[in-house]
Amino acid sequence: MKDKTIDYILRSTWQAVSRMYNEEASKYEGSMAIGFALLSIDRENGTPSTFISNRMGMEATSLTRTLKTLEEKGLIIRKKNPEDGRGVLIYLTELGKEKRALSKETVLKFNEKIKVNISEEKINHFIEVAEVINDLITEKKIF
């Protein structure tokens, strides 16, 4: 471990998590991107697409593809935003709500398994380190 860089550890861990979520989602004809998008949409009140892309850290073009897939699978519908005619709100269909619940259950199961195997103190340190890394990047203090 001592010769591995921090970015290598972050990248390889995220790739493993991503593979795990995609394997689980494939059992339900989904993907990690679909699951996270569903979790980013308010169950009852709809969500502006711009909020979804910000929350998921996606570029607009990637989000457009994901939303198109969600719509084709019958998981969402788009409606004009009554407060801003230029905007669109994304709503979950009944099937979308079911798949969202499945996604939530999967994420909670992952988190619970981690909490059972890693002490709260270590998890808190991990969160602190991740926050510092994010802050350094956000504030452009690395390059």
Side-chain angles (χ1 to χ4, degrees):
M1 281 297 268
K2 67 180 180 182
D3 60 337
K4 293 181 181 173
T5 62
I6 293 167
D7 67 311
Y8 171 84
I9 294 166
L10 290 169
R11 186 175 57 254
S12 63
T13 301
W14 178 247
Q15 287 173 342
V17 169
S18 178
R19 264 192 313 278
M20 174 200 66
Y21 276 137
N22 276 317
E23 284 176 21
E24 187 64 21
S26 71
K27 296 175 186 175
Y28 307 98
E29 300 176 19
S31 68
M32 183 185 73
I34 288 172
F36 282 150
L38 292 172
L39 290 170
S40 299
I41 300 169
D42 185 279
R43 281 184 42 81
E44 303 303 326
N45 302 315
T47 304
S49 58
T50 52
F51 177 81
I52 299 168
S53 62
N54 289 342
R55 182 145 188 230
M56 293 181 63
M58 290 179 100
E59 296 294 324
T61 53
S62 297
L63 179 65
T64 300
R65 283 193 301 272
T66 301
L67 292 177
K68 184 175 187 219
T69 300
L70 292 171
E71 203 165 28
E72 288 170 353
K73 290 181 174 281
L75 302 172
I76 63 163
I77 55 172
R78 302 176 201 224
K79 295 181 182 177
K80 282 190 174 186
N81 186 339
E83 296 175 17
D84 178 1
R86 299 169 295 163
V88 173
L89 293 176
I90 310 298
Y91 290 88
L92 296 169
T93 62
E94 286 306 312
L95 179 60
K97 289 177 183 178
E98 290 173 24
K99 298 289 186 177
R100 183 185 190 281
L102 249 157
S103 297
K104 183 175 180 178
E105 182 181 315
T106 302
V107 169
L108 292 175
K109 186 175 186 179
F110 168 77
N111 278 270
E112 192 53 43
K113 187 61 89 167
I114 298 302
K115 288 178 182 180
V116 166
N117 287 280
I118 300 174
S119 72
E120 185 177 349
E121 180 183 13
K122 286 184 178 181
I123 290 172
N124 288 336
H125 285 296
F126 171 77
I127 292 168
E128 288 172 28
V129 169
E131 287 173 348
V132 169
I133 291 170
N134 276 321
D135 288 346
L136 289 170
I137 292 167
T138 301
E139 296 170 13
K140 300 191 183 301
K141 292 186 174 178
I142 295 178
F143 300 113

